[in-house]
Amino acid sequence: MQKNKTPDFMKRILIISQLQFQKHPIFIRPVFLLSLGVVFSLFSFSSCSQSHLSDEIVEAEELLWSAPDSCLAFLEGLDYSTLSEYDSCVCALQREHALFKVQYGLEDDSHVMALKDYFEAQGDHRYAGEACYIVGRNLVLQQNLPMATFYQKAAEEHLLNAERVPAQLLGLVYLGLGNCAEYERLFEIANAYYERALPYFHQSADSLYIGCTFRNLCNTIPMNDSSEVLKLIDSALLYLSSPRYETHWIDAAITKHSYIEKDSTSSVHYFHLLCDTLGQVSYAANLCEFYLADGNITMAAYYLALSELDTINSIWSKEHYLFNKARYYHEIGRKDSAYFILRDLHLWQTEEIEASAHTRAYMVEQRYDAERERSEKLQA
């Protein structure tokens, strides 16, 4: 634990408070922050542990895991002038996490990294782990797999050394690690992480995450094991049957249709529902691909333009967009343009593979650790 905080570090926390809670007056003055630095140097870490959180912070944290939108509304109504520095930072982290869960991504002015540094300086594994998880999960969405794996493993290390960790949080960490392994085609490792996440989601009774984990497990099992795959898909559909999870239910239904029918045509109406009705532009690439194969150039051009909106943060979307664009140019007779697009796509994919090579080696090493752990459990 760092007992002496510098004025610059205090100013960072002040900036966080000003930006994150603009509706309220500045709840921590610079002089007060400096005095807190002296106070924290005199008291042990136990004085700011989770057990000493105010009742308001505990209530907000309970809402975070079940109703993040309600958590945001609750945080906006708090009087932050009455909170300590530690409680104020916990509030800021809760707000960042709630916004992430609601919007499924971090805002551009996010200060999660500054909060991570603060809690690590305090020696607080619980909230340092949560901050690492948020950063890592956001990097998973951006397909920045090397850094995503690094922060997710850092989150796991923090949380396993903490007390009173929410079960959902640990499950989400393993779900994110499974996503990284699946994107790297390391299906055995992904399967191990998904299996590790399930008990935590069952413990916290999170139907959404249980269903999504079952759906993800389908991608990590050999397709020749048809009985096991269909069993997992049916379990996913069962847990995602609530109207609140419509998008995820349709995604699982697409997996089942494409597996049974062996043909994407049976899933086209689902893609239209997700893309046109629910606004999920990530499925525009699937529709563009279908209409290119069907010879409908007009519809293919429309969904090609729409799929470009999803290429900012997702490597998968960028690859499919460029490939579909090359196919489209070939269909309309612009074969030279199609060639140059495919050439650039090949060069870009080669760079991405080289950039993530050390991530694959790291996750293979983790697989052997997981296998060793399983064998020890069997022996026990």
Side-chain angles (χ1 to χ4, degrees), residues 292 297 304 322-342:
L292 282 171
I297 302 301
L304 177 65
L322 292 175
F323 182 70
N324 287 338
K325 188 175 182 179
R327 289 183 61 188
Y328 172 74
Y329 279 150
H330 186 273
E331 291 294 330
I332 63 176
R334 296 176 57 179
K335 297 184 179 181
D336 289 343
S337 298
Y339 166 76
F340 286 118
I341 291 173
L342 289 175

Side-chain angles (χ1 to χ4, degrees), residues 28-29 32 66 74 116 124-125 130 137 168 180 197 258 262 264 267 270 273 293 317 339 346-348:
I28 300 177
R29 301 294 177 181
F32 182 50
S66 57
F74 182 84
K116 178 188 77 70
D124 190 325
H125 292 294
E130 184 173 349
R137 194 71 185 93
Q168 184 189 111
C180 288
S258 60
K262 307 293 184 183
S264 61
S267 302
Y270 285 123
L273 179 60
S317 298
Y339 166 76
H346 172 71
L347 294 174
W348 177 73

Side-chain angles (χ1 to χ4, degrees), residues 65 97 100-101 104 112 116 127-140 148 151-152 154-156 159 168-176 209:
W65 305 110
H97 197 169
F100 179 85
K101 291 172 77 73
Y104 208 49
V112 173
K116 178 188 77 70
Y127 291 112
E130 184 173 349
C132 286
Y133 158 73
I134 299 171
V135 175
R137 194 71 185 93
N138 194 61
L139 290 168
V140 173
Y151 279 106
Q152 296 280 31
E156 179 190 22
L159 295 174
Q168 184 189 111
L169 180 56
L170 269 169
L172 289 171
V173 169
Y174 290 124
L175 183 63
Y209 296 119

Side-chain angles (χ1 to χ4, degrees), residues 46-246:
S46 61
S47 64
C48 61
S49 66
Q50 187 178 0
S51 61
H52 291 271
L53 290 174
S54 64
D55 294 339
E56 292 86 355
I57 308 303
V58 173
E59 184 175 352
E61 190 162 272
E62 291 176 354
L63 288 171
L64 172 64
W65 305 110
S66 57
D69 49 351
S70 299
C71 176
L72 285 173
F74 182 84
L75 290 172
E76 291 293 342
L78 287 181
D79 180 10
Y80 297 101
S81 61
T82 63
L83 299 179
S84 66
E85 178 196 51
Y86 182 80
D87 282 359
S88 300
C89 289
V90 173
C91 268
L93 182 63
Q94 288 175 342
R95 182 180 184 277
E96 292 275 8
H97 197 169
L99 280 171
F100 179 85
K101 291 172 77 73
V102 171
Q103 301 174 355
Y104 208 49
L106 289 178
E107 294 182 321
D108 294 335
D109 60 347
S110 171
H111 293 274
V112 173
M113 289 297 294
L115 291 166
K116 178 188 77 70
D117 294 340
Y118 172 81
F119 289 116
E120 285 182 340
Q122 293 290 332
D124 190 325
H125 292 294
R126 161 68 179 81
Y127 291 112
E130 184 173 349
C132 286
Y133 158 73
I134 299 171
V135 175
R137 194 71 185 93
N138 194 61
L139 290 168
V140 173
L141 297 178
Q142 299 175 17
Q143 302 276 311
N144 187 345
L145 302 182
M147 293 306 298
T149 303
F150 173 80
Y151 279 106
Q152 296 280 31
K153 292 299 293 183
E156 179 190 22
E157 184 177 353
H158 277 301
L159 295 174
L160 291 179
N161 288 297
E163 297 179 356
R164 296 180 294 277
V165 178
Q168 184 189 111
L169 180 56
L170 269 169
L172 289 171
V173 169
Y174 290 124
L175 183 63
L177 284 167
N179 290 152
C180 288
E182 185 180 337
Y183 291 144
E184 291 287 350
R185 308 292 195 273
L186 299 171
F187 297 117
E188 290 184 18
I189 300 175
N191 185 280
Y193 279 129
Y194 292 148
E195 291 284 357
R196 194 177 297 184
L198 272 176
Y200 291 107
F201 291 143
H202 280 295
Q203 181 180 341
S204 54
D206 294 312
S207 298
L208 171 61
Y209 296 119
I210 294 172
C212 290
T213 305
F214 276 128
R215 182 198 62 201
N216 291 356
L217 278 168
C218 297
N219 301 327
T220 65
I221 294 179
M223 295 302 283
N224 56 4
D225 191 354
S226 57
S227 60
E228 183 65 20
V229 172
L230 290 176
K231 180 181 177 181
L232 289 170
I233 295 176
D234 289 337
S235 297
L237 292 171
L238 178 64
Y239 279 102
L240 298 173
S241 58
S242 171
R244 293 181 300 166
Y245 311 144
E246 182 180 14

Side-chain angles (χ1 to χ4, degrees), residues 268 272 284-305 324 327-332:
V268 170
H272 275 292
N286 300 90
L287 289 168
C288 176
E289 211 170 293
F290 170 76
Y291 285 116
L292 282 171
D294 197 45
N296 192 333
I297 302 301
T298 303
M299 293 296 290
Y302 171 76
Y303 286 106
L304 177 65
N324 287 338
R327 289 183 61 188
Y328 172 74
Y329 279 150
H330 186 273
E331 291 294 330
I332 63 176

